[in-house]
Amino acid sequence: MIEIIKEGKYEKKIATCQFCGCEFTFDKRDVQSRSDGEFPFTRIEKTLLYVLCPCCNAEIREWSDYQIKE
């Protein structure tokens, strides 16, 4: 009998570089962040999340989960 101890999800994500077309996978350890100024009329800082393209080092800011289709 199979018993699920912990439900899992594939932790990696996929991204495609809009500059060079490289398609690559990454996980949460690869996500970097930096300050991107402040919101208008406040002192709250905006944080930008991104990964670097392994081919051309461009900042990739949009990515999606793997779509598993069977």
Side-chain angles (χ1 to χ4, degrees):
M1 180 168 122
I2 296 176
E3 182 181 346
I4 297 175
I5 305 298
K6 176 183 172 187
E7 286 191 30
K9 180 180 176 194
Y10 194 59
E11 293 292 326
K12 293 203 175 210
K13 303 212 182 271
I14 189 168
T16 302
C17 179
Q18 60 193 6
F19 299 103
C20 71
C22 176
E23 191 169 293
F24 60 97
T25 61
F26 65 95
D27 61 18
K28 62 184 175 184
R29 294 174 294 185
D30 300 313
V31 176
Q32 299 179 24
S33 66
R34 66 176 162 84
S35 175
D36 194 34
E38 295 179 346
F39 287 105
F41 309 109
T42 68
R43 292 183 176 225
I44 301 171
E45 287 194 19
K46 293 187 276 184
T47 301
L48 179 65
L49 298 176
Y50 64 95
V51 293
L52 293 177
C53 173
C55 292
C56 69
N57 281 341
E59 287 184 2
I60 309 299
R61 298 179 190 154
E62 296 181 15
W63 52 78
S64 62
D65 290 332
Y66 270 117
Q67 299 292 322
I68 299 173
K69 296 181 181 177
E70 292 184 38

